[in-house]
Protein backbone atom coordinates (compact mmCIF):
# COMPACT_ATOMS: atom_id res chain seq x y z
CA UNK A 1 0.00 0.00 0.00
CA UNK A 2 1.14 3.57 -0.71
CA UNK A 3 2.76 4.94 2.48
CA UNK A 4 0.76 8.22 2.32
CA UNK A 5 -2.51 6.33 2.76
CA UNK A 6 -4.06 6.19 6.23
CA UNK A 7 -6.96 3.90 5.45
CA UNK A 8 -8.51 2.07 2.49
CA UNK A 9 -12.26 2.74 2.13
CA UNK A 10 -12.98 0.67 -0.99
CA UNK A 11 -10.76 -2.10 -2.27
CA UNK A 12 -10.04 -2.83 -5.92
CA UNK A 13 -12.39 -5.84 -5.79
CA UNK A 14 -15.23 -3.83 -4.24
CA UNK A 15 -14.89 -1.09 -6.86
CA UNK A 16 -14.93 -3.66 -9.68
CA UNK A 17 -18.27 -5.02 -8.44
CA UNK A 18 -19.79 -1.53 -8.22
CA UNK A 19 -18.64 -0.64 -11.75
CA UNK A 20 -20.01 -3.91 -13.15
CA UNK A 21 -23.40 -3.25 -11.56
CA UNK A 22 -23.51 0.32 -12.92
CA UNK A 23 -22.62 -0.84 -16.45
CA UNK A 24 -25.43 -3.42 -16.36
CA UNK A 25 -27.99 -0.90 -15.03
CA UNK A 26 -27.08 1.69 -17.66
CA UNK A 27 -27.03 -0.79 -20.54
CA UNK A 28 -30.48 -1.99 -19.53
CA UNK A 29 -31.82 1.55 -20.11
CA UNK A 30 -29.81 2.29 -23.29
CA UNK A 31 -30.23 -1.00 -25.16
CA UNK A 32 -32.05 0.74 -28.07
CA UNK A 33 -29.58 3.59 -28.63
CA UNK A 34 -25.87 4.25 -29.09
CA UNK A 35 -25.03 6.64 -26.26
CA UNK A 36 -22.22 9.16 -26.29
CA UNK A 37 -20.38 8.44 -23.06
CA UNK A 38 -18.56 11.53 -21.84
CA UNK A 39 -15.72 11.15 -19.39
CA UNK A 40 -15.09 14.17 -17.20
CA UNK A 41 -11.29 14.33 -17.01
CA UNK A 42 -9.20 13.55 -15.22
CA UNK A 43 -10.95 12.09 -12.18
CA UNK A 44 -13.31 9.80 -14.12
CA UNK A 45 -10.72 8.37 -16.50
CA UNK A 46 -10.05 5.12 -14.61
CA UNK A 47 -13.78 4.65 -14.03
CA UNK A 48 -14.40 5.26 -17.77
CA UNK A 49 -11.95 2.60 -18.93
CA UNK A 50 -13.45 -0.01 -16.59
CA UNK A 51 -17.08 1.04 -17.20
CA UNK A 52 -16.95 0.86 -21.02
CA UNK A 53 -15.38 -2.59 -20.92
CA UNK A 54 -18.19 -3.84 -18.69
CA UNK A 55 -20.85 -2.24 -20.94
CA UNK A 56 -22.22 -4.99 -23.20
CA UNK A 57 -23.49 -2.78 -26.01
CA UNK A 58 -22.43 -0.22 -28.60
CA UNK A 59 -21.33 3.19 -27.38
CA UNK A 60 -19.10 6.09 -28.36
CA UNK A 61 -16.57 7.72 -26.04
CA UNK A 62 -15.58 11.36 -25.69
CA UNK A 63 -13.64 13.39 -23.15
CA UNK A 64 -14.05 16.77 -21.57
CA UNK A 65 -11.85 18.51 -19.06
CA UNK A 66 -13.30 20.98 -16.62
CA UNK A 67 -11.89 22.41 -13.46
CA UNK A 68 -13.65 23.49 -10.30
CA UNK A 69 -11.23 22.47 -7.62
CA UNK A 70 -7.98 23.68 -6.07
CA UNK A 71 -6.52 21.35 -3.46
CA UNK A 72 -9.35 20.05 -1.29
CA UNK A 73 -11.57 23.14 -1.45
CA UNK A 74 -14.21 23.66 -4.17
CA UNK A 75 -13.92 27.05 -5.85
CA UNK A 76 -17.56 26.83 -6.96
CA UNK A 77 -16.68 27.74 -10.57
CA UNK A 78 -16.45 25.46 -13.58
CA UNK A 79 -13.97 26.25 -16.33
CA UNK A 80 -13.83 24.31 -19.64
CA UNK A 81 -10.23 23.26 -20.26
CA UNK A 82 -10.90 20.77 -23.07
CA UNK A 83 -14.21 20.57 -24.91
CA UNK A 84 -15.76 17.50 -26.57
CA UNK A 85 -14.70 16.44 -30.07
CA UNK A 86 -18.20 15.16 -30.92
CA UNK A 87 -21.42 17.12 -31.36
CA UNK A 88 -24.03 16.25 -28.74
CA UNK A 89 -26.92 17.38 -30.99
CA UNK A 90 -29.69 14.74 -30.90
CA UNK A 91 -27.41 12.38 -28.97
CA UNK A 92 -28.16 10.45 -25.80
CA UNK A 93 -25.38 11.70 -23.58
CA UNK A 94 -24.16 9.82 -20.53
CA UNK A 95 -21.90 11.90 -18.32
CA UNK A 96 -19.45 9.80 -16.34
CA UNK A 97 -18.19 11.40 -13.15
CA UNK A 98 -15.93 10.22 -10.38
CA UNK A 99 -17.76 11.92 -7.51
CA UNK A 100 -20.57 14.39 -6.97
CA UNK A 101 -19.64 16.74 -4.16
CA UNK A 102 -21.06 20.29 -4.43
CA UNK A 103 -22.76 19.30 -7.70
CA UNK A 104 -21.56 22.47 -9.47
CA UNK A 105 -19.63 20.60 -12.19
CA UNK A 106 -22.53 18.38 -13.18
CA UNK A 107 -25.08 21.15 -13.06
CA UNK A 108 -22.97 23.23 -15.44
CA UNK A 109 -22.29 20.33 -17.83
CA UNK A 110 -25.87 19.04 -18.02
CA UNK A 111 -27.13 22.57 -18.78
CA UNK A 112 -24.45 23.00 -21.44
CA UNK A 113 -25.29 19.71 -23.21
CA UNK A 114 -29.04 20.44 -23.13
CA UNK A 115 -28.36 23.89 -24.55
CA UNK A 116 -26.33 22.28 -27.35
CA UNK A 117 -29.32 20.13 -28.34
CA UNK A 118 -28.65 16.75 -26.74
CA UNK A 119 -31.66 14.42 -26.95
CA UNK A 120 -31.08 13.31 -23.36
CA UNK A 121 -28.45 13.82 -20.66
CA UNK A 122 -27.97 11.48 -17.73
CA UNK A 123 -25.30 11.28 -15.07
CA UNK A 124 -23.45 8.22 -13.85
CA UNK A 125 -21.30 8.87 -10.81
CA UNK A 126 -19.19 6.28 -9.08
CA UNK A 127 -19.29 8.12 -5.76
CA UNK A 128 -21.77 10.44 -4.11
CA UNK A 129 -20.85 12.76 -1.25
CA UNK A 130 -24.28 14.13 -0.24
CA UNK A 131 -22.83 16.10 2.69
CA UNK A 132 -21.04 18.41 0.20
CA UNK A 133 -24.05 19.30 -1.95
CA UNK A 134 -24.60 23.00 -2.67
CA UNK A 135 -26.43 22.73 -5.98
CA UNK A 136 -29.73 20.89 -6.42
CA UNK A 137 -28.64 18.02 -8.63
CA UNK A 138 -28.42 14.27 -8.32
CA UNK A 139 -26.93 11.55 -10.50
CA UNK A 140 -29.27 9.18 -12.32
CA UNK A 141 -26.99 6.26 -11.46
CA UNK A 142 -24.79 6.17 -8.37
CA UNK A 143 -22.19 3.67 -7.25
CA UNK A 144 -21.89 4.25 -3.52
CA UNK A 145 -22.22 7.03 -0.98
CA UNK A 146 -18.99 8.17 0.69
CA UNK A 147 -18.55 9.91 4.03
CA UNK A 148 -17.63 13.58 4.39
CA UNK A 149 -13.91 12.90 3.87
CA UNK A 150 -11.48 13.79 1.10
CA UNK A 151 -10.84 10.56 -0.76
CA UNK A 152 -8.12 9.68 -3.28
CA UNK A 153 -7.35 6.85 -5.70
CA UNK A 154 -9.06 5.21 -8.69
CA UNK A 155 -8.68 8.48 -10.63
CA UNK A 156 -9.23 10.87 -7.73
CA UNK A 157 -6.26 13.10 -6.89
CA UNK A 158 -4.78 15.32 -4.26
CA UNK A 159 -2.79 17.96 -6.15
CA UNK A 160 -2.56 15.57 -9.13
CA UNK A 161 -1.15 12.68 -7.09
CA UNK A 162 -2.64 9.31 -6.09
CA UNK A 163 -4.87 8.94 -9.18
CA UNK A 164 -3.10 5.67 -9.97
CA UNK A 165 -4.02 3.88 -6.74
CA UNK A 166 -6.28 0.93 -7.60
CA UNK A 167 -8.28 1.43 -4.37
CA UNK A 168 -10.03 4.38 -2.67
CA UNK A 169 -8.33 5.69 0.43
CA UNK A 170 -7.90 8.56 2.84
CA UNK A 171 -4.56 10.37 3.15
CA UNK A 172 -2.55 10.70 6.35
CA UNK A 173 -3.04 14.18 7.85
CA UNK A 174 0.68 14.99 7.51
CA UNK A 175 0.43 14.72 3.71
CA UNK A 176 -1.60 17.95 3.68
CA UNK A 177 0.89 19.96 5.68
P1 LIG B 1 -18.30 19.09 -7.47
O1 LIG B 1 -17.99 19.82 -6.22
O2 LIG B 1 -18.43 20.03 -8.63
O3 LIG B 1 -19.51 18.20 -7.33
O4 LIG B 1 -17.08 18.12 -7.73
C1 LIG B 1 -16.10 18.47 -8.62
C2 LIG B 1 -14.92 17.56 -8.59
O5 LIG B 1 -14.23 17.76 -7.37
C3 LIG B 1 -15.16 16.07 -8.63
O6 LIG B 1 -15.44 15.59 -9.90
C4 LIG B 1 -13.79 15.60 -8.13
O7 LIG B 1 -12.86 15.62 -9.19
C5 LIG B 1 -13.45 16.66 -7.08
N1 LIG B 1 -13.76 16.13 -5.74
C6 LIG B 1 -14.88 16.25 -5.00
N2 LIG B 1 -14.78 15.58 -3.83
C7 LIG B 1 -13.56 15.00 -3.85
C8 LIG B 1 -12.84 14.12 -2.94
O8 LIG B 1 -13.29 13.71 -1.87
N3 LIG B 1 -11.59 13.74 -3.34
C9 LIG B 1 -11.02 14.14 -4.52
N4 LIG B 1 -9.79 13.69 -4.79
N5 LIG B 1 -11.65 14.94 -5.39
C10 LIG B 1 -12.91 15.36 -5.06
MG1 LIG C 1 -14.56 14.98 -11.62
MG1 LIG D 1 -9.08 16.86 -8.45
Amino acid sequence: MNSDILEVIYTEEQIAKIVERLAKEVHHDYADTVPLVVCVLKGAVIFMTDFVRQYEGTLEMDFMDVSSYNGTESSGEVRIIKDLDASVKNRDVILLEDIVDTGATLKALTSLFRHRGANSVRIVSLFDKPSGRRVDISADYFGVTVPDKFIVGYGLDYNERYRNLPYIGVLKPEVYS
Side-chain angles (χ1 to χ4, degrees):
M1 190 168 83
N2 184 296
S3 61
D4 290 345
I5 295 294
L6 177 70
E7 177 197 1
V8 173
I9 297 186
Y10 287 101
T11 65
E12 198 173 350
E13 293 74 22
Q14 287 172 321
I15 298 168
K17 286 211 179 80
I18 298 164
V19 174
E20 195 187 331
R21 170 175 59 79
L22 284 172
K24 281 214 176 78
E25 272 178 41
V26 175
H27 180 237
H28 178 264
D29 296 348
Y30 285 79
D32 300 332
T33 184
V34 177
L36 180 68
V37 181
V38 172
C39 170
V40 185
L41 294 170
K42 302 170 203 168
V45 78
I46 313 275
F47 176 37
M48 175 79 154
T49 59
D50 283 344
F51 177 89
V52 296
R53 286 178 295 172
Q54 293 295 328
Y55 188 92
E56 290 179 1
T58 306
L59 54 73
E60 291 175 25
M61 293 161 60
D62 208 340
F63 298 85
M64 185 150 180
D65 194 1
V66 296
S67 163
S68 68
Y69 248 71
N70 292 308
T72 62
E73 192 79 28
S74 178
S75 64
E77 299 171 18
V78 176
R79 195 162 53 93
I80 296 179
I81 296 164
K82 184 224 173 282
D83 208 338
L84 297 178
D85 294 336
S87 163
V88 299
K89 197 161 173 58
N90 301 324
R91 298 299 305 267
D92 294 308
V93 177
I94 298 174
L95 255 171
L96 278 202
E97 254 287 28
D98 47 1
I99 184 166
V100 185
D101 183 17
T102 67
T105 310
L106 287 174
K107 184 91 179 182
L109 289 181
T110 47
S111 311
L112 178 69
F113 294 157
R114 290 203 176 103
H115 180 78
R116 287 177 177 179
N119 181 52
S120 68
V121 184
R122 281 195 193 157
I123 298 163
V124 182
S125 183
L126 185 53
F127 299 109
D128 181 21
K129 202 194 275 184
S131 54
R133 205 73 91 252
R134 271 188 246 151
V135 171
D136 182 27
I137 196 159
S138 129
D140 301 280
Y141 308 87
F142 265 125
V144 282
T145 300
V146 291
D148 189 17
K149 284 181 181 168
F150 190 78
I151 58 173
V152 296
Y154 200 75
L156 290 150
D157 73 308
Y158 171 60
N159 288 343
E160 297 303 326
R161 296 182 183 182
Y162 313 107
R163 293 190 195 276
N164 60 311
L165 303 181
Y167 47 83
I168 288 288
V170 176
L171 291 169
K172 291 178 181 166
E174 60 263 34
V175 178
Y176 298 112
S177 46

